[in-house]
Amino acid sequence: MDRSLAALGLDGVAAREPLTYPGRPTPEPSLLDGNVLLRLGVRPMRLGDWYVEEKLQLDEELKQRGQVVAGRRHPVIAVGSNASPGQVSHKLSRLGLPVSVPMVPVRVEGIGVGCSGHISPAGYVAGTPYVDREANTVLVVAWLDSEQLEAVDATEFPDYQRAILPGDEFPMTMPSGERLGGAYIYFSSHGVLAGPDGTPRPGGGDQSELLAALLHASPRLGELLGPDPSSWVKKAGNDSGLREKGTTLFGAEGWVLPQTDFLPYLDDSADLRPYDDLPPLGDSLP
C-alpha cells in the first residue's frame, strides 16, 4: 500500500492553505518519515518497543536512520495543526531538520480545544487548549527530539507558551494502555475566544465556518476583513497590521477569556523532559 502523505490524503499544509486549518490529524499510531506515514504496531510496552510496519522495533528503526530513540524524545500534545502530518513535515523540512517523528493518538482528560484570541500569521484563527476537567478527548501526541522541539518553539512563540502537564492531573492514556507520566503542550498567550454563551468557542473544526460566524457576529470585523472567509485569510495573511487590528477587535467585542489555568504548569526549565524521565503511572503497563 502506498503510505505517502499524498496517497493517504494527509499532505495538506495549513500554512499554505489557511482555510484547511487545522488539517487532518494522524489517524493511527505512526512514524512520520518525510512525506511517508509508516504504521506503528501497538504493543503493551513502551513506545520504543512498538514495531514499524511489523518489521523493526521503533527504536531500532530510528537508530538505523541515525535519529534519536523514543525514550530521549519529548512527548508534545498537539491541539492544532501540529497533529497534521503534512504540517509537521512542512515545518521541519523547511528548517532542514530530519522529519522522523512518532505520532500517536492518545486519550487525554481535562483538556478542551478552543480558539485562540488572535489571528495567526497565515491568516487563520488557530486552536488552543484550555482546562476543562470534564473533557475526554483523543489528541495526537508527537515525540520530538530536542532540536525539533526547539524548532517548533520558534514557530509557536510568542503567540503560544509551553507547559508540561503532569499525568496524574491530566490522565493521558496510550493505545497500549500506558498512562503517560506527563507531556508538553502549547497554549495561547492571547486567551481563548468565547462563544455566544460566554464559554470557550469550540476549536479544531471547519475554519471557514468559524470565520463566517465571527464575521457575522461583528460588523467591525466584517468591515476590516470581510465579506467572507476567503477575503479574511487573504487580507490577514498579507498584512500584519490588519492581523493586529483584528486581534484587537476580538478583545473589543468582549470575546477573549484569559488563559491562566496552565500557568502553574508553565515550563521555564532549561532542561527538557524526555519520555524516559516521565515514567508511566501506576500499573498501566505489564
Side-chain angles (χ1 to χ4, degrees):
M1 177 181 176
D2 187 349
R3 299 293 300 176
S4 69
L5 297 184
L8 296 172
L10 296 169
D11 58 335
V13 178
R16 294 174 177 161
E17 301 175 86
L19 291 181
T20 68
Y21 180 90
R24 291 183 58 201
T26 304
E28 60 186 341
S30 307
L31 172 63
L32 176 61
D33 175 35
N35 290 314
V36 175
L37 199 65
L38 304 174
R39 284 196 183 96
L40 288 177
V42 177
R43 304 181 70 196
M45 305 175 79
R46 295 279 272 175
L47 178 62
D49 294 321
W50 297 7
Y51 276 81
V52 180
E53 295 288 334
E54 301 181 355
K55 296 176 182 178
L56 281 180
Q57 287 182 321
L58 174 60
D59 277 353
E60 291 303 314
E61 182 80 28
L62 291 169
K63 286 178 184 176
Q64 285 195 8
R65 297 164 184 266
Q67 304 302 314
V68 178
V69 297
R72 303 314 302 164
R73 290 171 174 262
H74 314 284
V76 182
I77 301 170
V79 171
S81 61
N82 287 339
S84 165
Q87 181 84 336
V88 173
S89 179
H90 169 74
K91 278 189 177 184
L92 297 179
S93 61
R94 71 187 180 92
L95 296 172
L97 295 177
V99 184
S100 290
V101 182
M103 302 180 74
V104 180
V106 173
R107 184 159 295 280
V108 181
E109 299 178 40
I111 299 297
V113 178
C115 303
S116 177
H118 83 293
I119 300 174
S120 77
Y124 53 71
V125 175
T128 185
Y130 63 92
V131 174
D132 177 359
R133 295 298 179 182
E134 303 300 316
N136 190 322
T137 310
V138 174
L139 299 170
V140 172
V141 175
W143 269 257
L144 304 177
D145 67 30
S146 297
E147 192 174 20
Q148 290 168 338
L149 181 57
E150 289 171 2
V152 173
D153 277 352
T155 69
E156 302 292 344
F157 297 159
D159 292 320
Y160 287 80
Q161 302 176 73
R162 176 160 41 81
I164 185 162
L165 303 183
D168 55 349
E169 295 185 45
F170 298 90
M172 311 169 211
T173 306
M174 297 271 279
S176 60
E178 175 184 349
R179 284 272 311 278
L180 294 179
Y184 287 104
I185 196 167
Y186 293 97
F187 67 97
S188 176
S189 304
H190 300 274
V192 183
L193 286 185
D197 63 356
T199 64
R201 183 183 287 272
D206 185 280
Q207 182 71 192
S208 290
E209 288 184 8
L210 170 62
L211 299 187
L214 297 178
L215 288 168
H216 178 74
S218 172
R220 289 184 290 180
L221 268 177
E223 291 177 9
L224 183 70
L225 297 172
D228 54 38
S230 294
S231 67
W232 174 312
V233 294
K234 183 176 181 179
K235 291 176 181 179
N238 290 327
D239 191 327
S240 62
L242 285 181
R243 293 196 297 273
E244 291 175 8
K245 289 178 181 178
T247 296
T248 299
L249 274 179
F250 288 170
E253 295 287 0
W255 293 346
V256 180
L257 303 172
Q259 277 266 52
T260 58
D261 289 341
F262 287 120
L263 294 180
Y265 312 103
L266 197 62
D267 180 45
D268 55 6
S269 171
D271 298 320
L272 296 171
R273 299 284 301 281
Y275 181 46
D276 275 350
D277 291 351
L278 296 164
L281 297 179
D283 299 322
S284 58
L285 281 177

